[in-house]
Amino acid sequence: MQQRIPNFMSSPELSYSEKVSQATSFVRQQTDSVPRVAIILGTGLGKLATHITPELTLPYAEIPHFPQSTALSHQGQLVVGTLEEITVVAMQGRFHLYEGYPLADAVLPVHVMQSLGADILVVSNASGGVNPKYAGGDIMVMSSHINLMFRQNHQLSNASLIAPALEQPGTLLYDQDLIELALQTGRDQDFAIHEGCYVSLTGPNYETRSEYRMVRKIGGDVVGMSTVPEVLTAHSLNMRVLALSAVTNVAKPNVLTETTAEEVVDIARLAEPKLTAIVTNLLRTL
Ligand code: HPA
């Protein structure tokens, strides 16, 4: 039986890079496999991981410095294995700022997956559509975002905890070739797929009718509460990024209906095979 290192999230004496390195070593001790692609599975999308032939599955609670996943339908485990003969590392469940995590903690797994070897990040989420041409179950490939979620030091009481990667944000964050590849998969397999702009809000509430109107007015196609921190981190670690949004509810601000977390999970699950098709196609090109 492998000896488990205790999870010491509250280790302010360690530098950020020491935490990343301890978490990476913990995984490394248990597998020699070097993942090429990192996958973050958002709300209702965790099932994609079941297509991976697993070599190693680690609950977040066992990985040093990993936060715990509390959000609905987020399983909270890291899976290393193969999909389409490519080694991947997947997060079944992610960390949201609305759960109370400091930004640096929420993006630590991205550093760890990059340090394990991944140079592509595929990140997914469930979102609310504000583009009236979108329908529940559609996929939107993110080609841009508007970050209304945090500024550089939001939620950071201790400046030394700032994730180093976020100190050097880029501007062309989303890989154009990967966007094209995703769109082509949608066309080939005949499902509705769009390219658009994701607006990130901190949440935790789904938006009010005024917020949905604002999101549309400022140029958003969908709105959600995640993804931007991971994208910024991955980009500044020189990873190529593909971000896929499963549209679960389409907001009609004038006749707004209640959105429930259960409904979001159910519709995201319906979109999951489309996501799997895109990821599988991408891996075949590597
Ligand atoms: N707003 C924010 N996040 C979401 C939504 C929404 O309407 N639907 C799914 N995730």
Side-chain angles (χ1 to χ4, degrees):
M1 174 75 185
Q2 188 85 33
Q3 179 150 18
R4 300 294 190 197
I5 298 173
N7 188 353
F8 22 84
M9 255 192 75
S10 53
S11 307
E13 68 282 1
L14 291 177
S15 72
Y16 195 77
S17 62
E18 284 167 331
K19 289 184 183 181
V20 171
S21 139
Q22 285 189 351
T24 307
S25 305
F26 179 78
V27 181
R28 220 352 109 244
Q29 276 160 23
Q30 299 173 67
T31 176
D32 290 331
S33 298
V34 176
R36 292 178 67 186
V37 178
I39 305 171
I40 300 177
L41 299 166
T43 304
L45 300 167
K47 193 161 169 279
L48 190 149
T50 61
H51 300 281
I52 299 172
T53 307
E55 186 195 324
L56 178 67
T57 301
L58 291 172
Y60 295 155
E62 293 183 7
I63 308 175
H65 314 300
F66 259 51
Q68 305 306 306
S69 216
T70 66
L72 186 69
S73 106
H74 286 251
Q75 251 177 304
Q77 55 188 23
L78 191 75
V79 180
V80 180
T82 50
L83 185 57
E84 296 296 321
E85 293 171 20
I86 301 285
T87 303
V88 300
V89 53
M91 288 177 68
Q92 262 183 308
R94 62 138 61 78
F95 307 108
H96 304 85
L97 300 189
Y98 68 72
E99 292 172 89
Y101 300 112
L103 186 55
D105 287 358
V107 299
L108 185 126
V110 178
H111 286 263
V112 173
M113 293 191 292
Q114 190 264 348
S115 178
L116 285 169
D119 60 8
I120 294 179
L121 174 70
V122 180
V123 54
S124 62
N125 61 57
S127 65
V130 290
N131 183 329
K133 295 194 179 125
Y134 292 7
D138 287 0
I139 301 287
M140 189 197 83
V141 189
M142 289 167 60
S143 56
S144 183
H145 72 233
I146 297 174
N147 180 6
L148 299 182
M149 184 178 229
F150 64 89
R151 293 289 101 200
Q152 174 74 2
N153 61 358
H154 176 66
Q155 290 188 338
L156 296 172
S157 53
N158 177 348
S160 71
L161 286 179
I162 293 177
L166 292 183
E167 288 167 12
Q168 13 169 316
T171 176
L172 289 171
L173 303 165
Y174 300 94
D175 187 282
Q176 195 57 43
D177 291 339
L178 297 182
I179 292 173
E180 290 302 331
L181 204 126
L183 293 172
Q184 193 56 46
T185 305
R187 285 183 216 118
D188 290 347
Q189 305 211 359
D190 207 19
F191 61 78
I193 187 158
H194 316 277
E195 177 181 344
C197 172
Y198 177 95
V199 175
S200 65
L201 298 180
T202 317
N205 60 299
Y206 297 127
E207 289 62 37
T208 62
R209 55 176 98 231
S210 308
E211 287 169 328
Y212 281 123
R213 280 194 191 109
M214 173 195 75
V215 166
R216 184 67 186 142
K217 215 166 217 172
I218 63 176
D221 294 297
V222 300
V223 56
M225 307 176 208
S226 67
T227 306
V228 167
E230 294 110 316
V231 167
L232 288 170
T233 303
H235 180 76
S236 48
L237 291 171
N238 293 319
M239 297 174 87
R240 296 169 68 199
V241 175
L242 174 65
L244 303 168
S245 197
V247 182
T248 54
N249 49 299
V250 176
K252 297 187 178 64
N254 294 335
V255 282
L256 194 63
T257 51
E258 196 63 66
T259 298
T260 66
E262 288 74 18
E263 179 189 327
V264 165
V265 170
D266 287 347
I267 310 234
R269 282 201 182 117
L270 290 180
E272 183 276 325
K274 302 173 188 174
L275 203 78
T276 302
I278 295 170
V279 173
T280 308
N281 245 1
L282 185 162
L283 294 173
R284 284 188 191 135
T285 67
L286 297 182

